Amino acid sequence: MNAFDKNTSVVIDDAQLLADEAKYSSFGDTVHYVDPPKIFRTCAGSYMYDTAGTPFLDLQMWYSAVNFGYGNKRLNNVLKQQIDLLPQVASQYLHQTRIELAKTVALDAKKKFGLDGRVHFNVGGAQAIEDSLKIVRNARNGKSLMFAFEGGYHGRTLGASSITSSYRYRRRFGHFGERAMFLPFPYPFRRPKGMTAEEYSDSCVNQFARLFETEYNGVWDPKTNQCEYAAFYVEPIQGTGGYVVPPMGFFKGLKKVLDQYGILLVSDEIQMGFWRTGKLWSIEHFGVTPDIVVFGKALTNGLNPLSGLWAREELINPTIFPPGSTHSTFNSNPLGTSLGLEVIKMGYELDYETTVPKKGAHFLEGLRDLQKRHKEIGDVDGLGLALRAEICTDDGFTPNKELLDRMVDIGLAGDLEHNGKRIGLVLDVGGWYKNVITFAPSLDITHEEIDLAISLLDQLLTKAKKG
């Protein structure tokens, strides 16, 4: 009997589960990265465990939704206590932690950005993006066109797909007449030859600014001083795009153009929020003030679907954005808001602003050492514990998706070795060419676990290169 048996009345074996999944489940709501798909049974800390009890060191933590580790006792206890106190309440009524969480986020933003604002809740990241689009359209008299970045990802609902650069998320769902205009994002590793990263960053800003030179550049009416586009949606560090970190001066240059022409800046923190980069919001690293911040994922450490946004007062006060402007039945459920409140309290109490950069530096140092031993690692970079390793051919530059795919398969097979025992490795694939390992380990990962991760990556690369 396995460890998970005591908590489950009936344990169905993997083969039967996979057969049932193939027959009864929609494949449209998941992604099958490996064949057959992997089934996990339990989890704790930085690890997940399969049916055989093999541990898998997770370096992606549910796409950065479980920033604070699997089975975090402090957060689990909050959930358990809330179930006995007030597990449900319709979203048109109020409860304490909803109000406390909104106040906590708003006061934090006031301290950091110097602006009054309000917090608005929903149930998932894409849904919060949808709400932000309503706020932007409403504040800009119905303007529905947005700017966004090449390589950007904001979700797969219809509205979020319109500002996500990948056509494959829109291809089968009709014509998107209000699709965003996608601008180049400064990707330091793949910048044009002869340019420094900073020069490339300036070039991207200048390319954007050029749109406003005359009425014939397509977005600006100089006679009325109006832009056809309402907002610029940004991920300060691209998530699905491959954890690309732009030069530190990039957003200051971009924001200068936005402010000049009255365009709102919306910071998508769904993947990079809650100390993933060492700050509550990743935009804090870049010295600019957003008009809207959208968040989700790690707000509840993956224990409850809750998301939200902060918007400055002028955009979201009840006069301009009245009750009923958006609605979702579960949008501020007490299980989620109690968890979110505890996540923010815990983050500041445990000083993730100090610990995450230190752990990130240690992890990055290990990746750079690994890069010296494997010429197929073309680039390593990161901010806090949002890290990247770009897998290439042996020229160190040409994308090598095939090699990374083999690495993912080997990691999920659980055939690596540590102290004479089997162990697996959970990786996430991202990047413009699907050749980037995007690392989002638990923020509570230990230095010893980081060293283990580097050792396992070394094994993984060595095995994968042998085919």
Side-chain angles (χ1 to χ4, degrees):
M1 181 174 286
N2 294 302
F4 56 81
D5 289 346
K6 62 185 179 182
N7 298 317
T8 308
S9 56
V10 177
V11 178
I12 303 171
D13 66 50
D14 285 8
Q16 183 62 56
L17 287 173
L18 290 172
D20 289 346
E21 197 261 353
K23 184 174 182 179
Y24 300 114
S25 294
S26 165
F27 286 13
D29 64 355
T30 185
V31 181
H32 288 162
Y33 285 121
V34 293
D35 185 19
K38 187 69 182 178
I39 293 175
F40 289 105
R41 298 287 185 166
T42 60
C43 57
S46 291
Y47 295 89
M48 291 195 291
Y49 298 84
D50 67 6
T51 303
T54 303
F56 288 73
L57 179 60
D58 192 342
L59 298 181
Q60 63 108 8
M61 299 306 288
W62 201 359
Y63 312 111
S64 198
V66 191
N67 283 3
F68 312 101
Y70 293 114
N72 184 296
K73 289 185 178 180
R74 177 169 172 173
L75 298 178
N76 285 8
N77 285 337
V78 167
L79 183 63
K80 294 171 185 176
Q81 291 164 12
Q82 189 65 43
I83 286 177
D84 290 332
L85 177 64
L86 180 69
Q88 302 112 332
V89 63
S91 57
Q92 68 262 42
Y93 306 120
L94 299 178
H95 56 90
Q96 180 171 326
T97 56
R98 169 198 161 97
I99 298 167
E100 282 190 280
L101 179 56
K103 179 180 178 180
T104 298
V105 173
L107 290 180
D108 187 86
K110 173 77 171 180
K111 180 179 178 181
K112 290 169 178 173
F113 305 135
L115 296 172
D116 291 323
R118 296 171 186 259
V119 174
H120 178 105
F121 294 112
N122 210 310
V123 295
Q127 288 79 7
I129 289 289
E130 295 282 344
D131 287 350
S132 74
L133 286 165
K134 278 192 172 182
I135 290 171
V136 168
R137 287 184 176 206
N138 182 64
R140 289 297 181 262
N141 300 314
K143 289 182 180 178
S144 56
L145 295 179
M146 310 294 159
F147 293 114
F149 281 121
E150 295 174 359
Y153 178 87
H154 301 285
R156 301 192 199 186
T157 54
L158 287 174
S161 294
S162 73
I163 57 173
T164 292
S165 62
S166 302
Y167 171 53
R168 70 186 178 96
Y169 299 129
R170 294 185 296 275
R171 180 180 58 80
R172 292 175 294 106
F173 305 110
H175 178 63
F176 284 67
E178 294 170 340
R179 182 173 67 90
M181 180 185 292
F182 298 106
L183 282 301
F185 189 83
Y187 187 163
F189 180 60
R190 299 199 175 274
R191 65 184 183 270
K193 290 183 178 180
M195 279 188 177
T196 66
E198 289 71 22
E199 287 170 341
Y200 182 38
S201 173
D202 292 342
S203 174
C204 290
V205 171
N206 292 336
Q207 185 173 340
F208 176 58
R210 182 181 174 276
L211 296 175
F212 302 88
E213 283 185 2
T214 74
E215 65 179 280
Y216 300 103
N217 295 85
V219 304
W220 178 247
D221 181 355
K223 291 186 177 181
T224 62
N225 288 327
Q226 286 193 21
C227 180
E228 191 175 11
Y229 289 72
F232 204 134
Y233 275 75
V234 310
E235 294 169 286
I237 296 171
Q238 292 202 329
T240 301
Y243 284 24
V244 180
V245 183
M248 283 294 149
F250 173 66
F251 284 107
K252 284 186 178 179
L254 183 72
K255 186 66 161 59
K256 186 176 180 181
V257 180
L258 298 180
D259 288 347
Q260 184 176 353
Y261 297 105
I263 302 162
L264 300 173
L265 176 64
V266 182
S267 183
D268 180 340
E269 300 283 348
I270 294 165
Q271 190 163 166
M272 292 297 159
F274 302 102
W275 296 281
R276 170 55 56 197
T277 65
K279 299 283 188 183
L280 181 64
W281 312 127
S282 61
I283 195 69
E284 295 178 51
H285 293 280
F286 298 95
V288 297
T289 299
D291 296 290
I292 298 174
V293 173
V294 184
F295 52 85
K297 288 191 185 293
L299 172 63
T300 63
N301 203 41
L303 293 170
N304 179 277
L306 182 70
S307 63
L309 62 85
W310 168 90
R312 58 183 176 86
E313 180 73 7
E314 296 91 328
L315 304 175
I316 201 175
N317 70 73
T319 300
I320 191 171
F321 203 68
S325 295
T326 79
H327 183 75
S328 173
T329 301
F330 300 97
N331 70 10
S332 55
N333 70 85
L335 298 179
T337 56
S338 61
L339 282 164
L341 185 63
E342 192 67 20
V343 159
I344 295 178
K345 288 179 180 177
M346 183 180 74
Y348 280 118
E349 285 176 13
L350 299 182
D351 195 17
Y352 285 117
E353 286 199 4
T354 299
T355 62
V356 168
K358 288 180 179 178
K359 291 177 181 179
H362 182 63
F363 206 135
L364 191 57
E365 181 183 8
L367 290 174
R368 286 174 175 153
D369 182 63
L370 198 63
Q371 186 182 28
K372 294 174 184 176
R373 288 179 274 134
H374 295 275
K375 54 189 176 182
E376 291 81 6
I377 300 178
D379 180 56
V380 297
D381 197 9
L383 190 61
L385 280 169
L387 301 149
R388 73 190 311 269
E390 186 145 350
I391 305 303
C392 303
T393 61
D394 57 12
D395 67 7
F397 188 77
T398 303
N400 195 342
K401 178 182 181 298
E402 293 76 14
L403 178 58
L404 181 50
D405 286 344
R406 287 199 296 274
M407 291 174 65
V408 171
D409 289 345
I410 294 168
L412 285 178
D415 286 333
L416 303 174
E417 185 177 310
H418 177 59
N419 290 337
K421 296 181 179 179
R422 292 183 63 196
I423 189 170
L425 197 60
V426 178
L427 302 176
D428 191 28
V429 174
W432 295 20
Y433 304 95
K434 301 300 177 219
N435 69 315
V436 178
I437 307 172
T438 52
F439 297 102
S442 166
L443 304 188
D444 292 328
I445 192 171
T446 66
H447 285 261
E448 292 75 19
E449 287 172 334
I450 291 171
D451 292 339
L452 172 60
I454 298 300
S455 173
L456 294 177
L457 285 165
D458 193 8
Q459 285 187 51
L460 201 55
L461 264 166
T462 301
K463 282 192 171 190
K465 285 192 291 187
K466 291 178 181 178

